[in-house]
């Protein structure tokens, strides 16, 4: 195999961050993620086609090596066969994402995405500069009924004890995922749920005698409400919590968010960070790795392929984010942000997304025969709190992480 210093550098990077992997497993993830960046695709055919002439190997030989990364042990040839255990990779993977992270604040989003009638993916992602990178996931067959509760609990359970003391973690989820058990599971991790709920419910603030519909607390555009109390009047659904309500300008209705944080320590506008996971899903498909074209139909194999997708995604985001952090102005007009954040920061909209910019910088390094850029995460400043005319608003504090 021709010696390419850049590729060997990337193989060493993978092996360093995943020390428990065997050499073939680390090599497989390195080839997949490296090839995905060069081919701008996670297709087996595309990755094998771009790596074959680069490495001077026969196409079919390289294709089988790539397939061995996601195949189960019984489907591989040789005596020392083993599965790539994705769940055992998640602890070092999270450590990699947070290596060098500025501040001790972290926003995590939970959501599901589908691939036609083939797969449903339950994903937990770290949101980062308008984008997101998955740090835990479960792939299910879309055509088979399957309870999500045990899968979500198992995914969350993998994070128990992984973050050191002193970190503040908020977990964002949309209305379709709200459940009392999910709220409790997040609190058990000593994290803070930030779960949006529908307006068809009621809330009894502390010290009040009667229940009040959610919509009566935030009745019109421009109105806000936040306070402690009990959500939902049913005996089995009652939940002591903080309600954060905000009806933003131009929105069809209010954001109603339940959390365990004190009212003075949180803001409903933080829920805007949840939209960044949608960009992460977009990058796995048409906006990046073209996963929608896969012919794979085995969920377990898809979970292993997602490990390479996650690595390649973070590689681009971290490199692009580092470049943006060092620039005078941010880099994608299409990437959503917390409502009003760009105005408060006084910055212009990004003209190039950090995903695209990271790809450009990596390809430029390859063409110039330079060392590959491998950067730590440089999150934007964490949304802080301020008070204007007696109304608490979310603003971006100096420093910190997010």
């Amino acid at each position: 195999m021709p010696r390419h210093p850049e590729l060997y550098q990337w193989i060493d990077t993978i092996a360093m961050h995943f020390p428990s992997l065997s050499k073939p497993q680390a090599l497989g993830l390195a080839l997949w993620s490296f090839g995905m960046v060069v081919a701008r695709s996670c297709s087996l055919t595309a990755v094998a086609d771009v790596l074959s002439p680069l490495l001077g190997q026969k196409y079919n030989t390289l294709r089988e090596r790539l397939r061995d990364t996601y195949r189960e042990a019984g489907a591989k040839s040789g005596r020392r066969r083993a599965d790539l255990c994705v769940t055992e990779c998640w602890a070092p993977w999270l450590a990699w994402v947070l290596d060098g992270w500025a501040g001790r604040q972290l926003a995590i989003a939970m959501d599901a995405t589908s691939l036609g009638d083939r797969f449903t993916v339950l994903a937990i992602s770290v949101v980062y500069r308008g984008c997101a990178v998955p740090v835990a996931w479960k792939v299910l067959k879309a055509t088979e009924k399957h309870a999500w509760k045990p899968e979500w609990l198992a995914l969350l359970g993998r994070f128990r004890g992984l973050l050191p003391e002193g970190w503040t973690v908020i977990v964002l989820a949309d209305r379709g995922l709200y459940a009392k058990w999910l709220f409790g599971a997040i609190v058990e991790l000593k994290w803070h749920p930030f779960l949006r709920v529908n307006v068809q419910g009621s809330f009894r603030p502390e010290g009040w005698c009667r229940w009040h519909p959610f919509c009566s607390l935030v009745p019109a555009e421009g109105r806000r409400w936040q306070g402690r109390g009990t959500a939902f009047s049913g005996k089995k659904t009652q939940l002591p919590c903080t309600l954060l309500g905000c009806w933003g300008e131009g929105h069809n209705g209010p954001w109603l968010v339940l959390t365990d944080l004190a009212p003075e320590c949180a803001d409903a506008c933080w829920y805007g960070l949840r939209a960044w996971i949608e960009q992460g899903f977009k990058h796995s498909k048409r906006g990046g790795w073209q996963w929608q074209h896969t012919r794979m139909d085995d969920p377990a194999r898809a979970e292993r392929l997602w490990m390479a997708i996650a690595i390649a995604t973070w590689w681009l985001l971290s490199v692009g984010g580092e470049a943006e952090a060092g620039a005078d102005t941010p880099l994608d007009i299409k990437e959503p942000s917390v409502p009003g954040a760009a105005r408060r920061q006084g910055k212009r909209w990004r003209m190039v997304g950090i995903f695209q910019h990271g790809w450009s910088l990596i390809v430029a390094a390859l063409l110039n025969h330079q060392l590959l850029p491998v950067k730590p995460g440089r999150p934007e400043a964490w949304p802080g709190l301020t008070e204007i005319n007696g109304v608490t608003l979310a603003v971006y504090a100096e420093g910190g992480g997010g």
Side-chain angles (χ1 to χ4, degrees):
M1 182 172 71
R3 184 167 184 84
H4 294 279
E6 301 85 2
L7 177 56
Y8 279 86
Q9 176 200 350
W10 185 239
I11 294 171
D12 290 342
T13 299
I14 298 293
M16 177 184 67
H17 286 290
F18 297 99
S20 63
L21 293 182
S22 66
K23 288 185 178 180
Q25 290 172 337
L27 176 61
L29 286 178
L31 290 176
W32 262 110
S33 52
F34 184 90
M36 284 167 54
V37 171
V38 177
R40 196 63 183 263
S41 172
C42 68
S43 161
L44 173 63
T45 301
V47 173
D49 186 59
V50 77
L51 289 181
S52 176
L54 180 66
L55 302 181
Q57 294 187 2
K58 292 182 178 180
Y59 171 82
N60 286 332
T61 299
L62 190 55
R63 188 172 184 272
E64 288 303 299
R65 173 177 286 180
L66 290 170
R67 290 185 70 198
D68 277 348
T69 302
Y70 60 67
R71 285 193 291 202
E72 56 278 3
K76 300 179 185 181
S77 59
R79 298 176 59 185
R80 304 179 67 178
R81 302 172 296 177
D83 292 341
L84 173 64
C85 184
V86 175
T87 56
E88 292 182 0
C89 293
W90 288 340
W93 173 229
L94 180 64
W96 183 357
V97 171
L98 298 183
D99 184 28
W101 195 268
R104 292 295 181 267
Q105 296 89 15
L106 186 67
I108 289 177
M110 301 175 60
D111 208 349
T113 184
S114 61
L115 191 68
D117 60 356
R118 189 173 303 180
F119 296 130
T120 296
V121 183
L122 310 183
I124 297 177
S125 299
V126 169
V127 298
Y128 178 78
R129 290 187 173 269
C131 308
V133 58
V135 290
W137 53 89
K138 180 65 179 181
V139 181
L140 306 171
K141 283 192 174 182
T143 55
E144 297 180 1
K145 291 185 177 181
H146 193 105
W148 287 9
K149 177 179 177 179
E151 303 297 352
W152 282 125
L153 290 175
L155 290 175
L156 288 170
R158 288 284 176 177
F159 291 98
R160 196 176 304 279
L162 291 188
L163 288 178
E165 294 290 335
W167 279 74
T168 298
V169 183
I170 63 171
V171 182
L172 309 136
D174 204 5
R175 291 167 291 188
L177 292 184
Y178 172 77
K180 184 177 179 179
W181 58 260
L182 180 58
F183 190 102
I186 296 170
V187 171
E188 284 185 10
L189 288 174
K190 298 183 179 180
W191 293 356
H192 305 291
F194 230 74
L195 309 183
R196 188 180 177 189
V197 293
N198 290 310
V199 296
Q200 293 83 14
S202 55
F203 191 78
R204 185 175 63 194
E206 285 185 349
W208 295 26
C209 298
R210 297 180 180 179
W211 294 90
H212 295 264
F214 285 142
C215 56
S216 70
L217 298 174
V218 191
E221 186 175 308
R223 300 290 293 275
R224 305 168 63 88
W225 193 94
Q226 52 197 68
R228 290 289 299 177
T230 303
F232 305 109
S233 57
K235 291 184 179 180
K236 293 183 178 180
T237 57
Q238 287 185 13
L239 178 69
C241 62
T242 293
L243 171 65
L244 307 173
C246 174
W247 193 329
E249 182 180 346
H251 289 204
N252 294 327
W255 282 352
L256 300 167
V257 178
L258 303 185
T259 182
D260 69 327
L261 289 167
E264 64 274 12
C265 297
D267 194 281
C269 286
W270 295 0
Y271 180 76
L273 297 167
R274 194 212 67 85
W276 295 1
I277 195 175
E278 303 295 342
Q279 289 296 108
F281 293 150
K282 176 183 175 182
H283 290 148
S284 69
K285 301 174 187 175
R286 288 178 173 81
W289 309 125
Q290 308 299 319
W291 191 50
Q292 76 277 8
H293 295 310
T294 184
R295 293 193 293 270
M296 188 177 290
D297 57 10
D298 185 331
R301 292 186 175 188
E303 286 180 7
R304 299 182 189 111
L305 179 62
W306 259 58
M307 190 70 249
I309 289 175
I311 292 171
T313 299
W314 180 241
W315 190 11
L316 268 59
L317 295 184
S318 60
V319 171
E322 170 76 17
E324 178 179 274
D328 293 332
T329 57
L331 295 167
D332 186 336
I333 196 166
K334 297 179 180 178
E335 294 181 359
S337 185
V338 176
R343 290 195 301 275
R344 286 192 293 272
Q345 288 178 295
K347 295 181 178 180
R348 294 181 295 170
W349 291 102
R350 295 177 173 97
M351 297 307 296
V352 179
I354 64 170
F355 184 88
Q356 172 63 38
H357 192 59
W359 180 82
S360 299
L361 292 173
I362 293 169
V363 170
L366 287 171
L367 293 176
N368 291 323
H369 303 289
Q370 299 172 341
L371 287 176
L372 294 174
V374 181
K375 303 295 183 180
R378 291 283 300 277
E380 291 179 284
W382 184 257
L385 296 168
T386 190
E387 191 172 288
I388 300 177
N389 296 328
V391 179
T392 301
L393 301 172
V395 297
Y396 277 78
E398 294 296 326

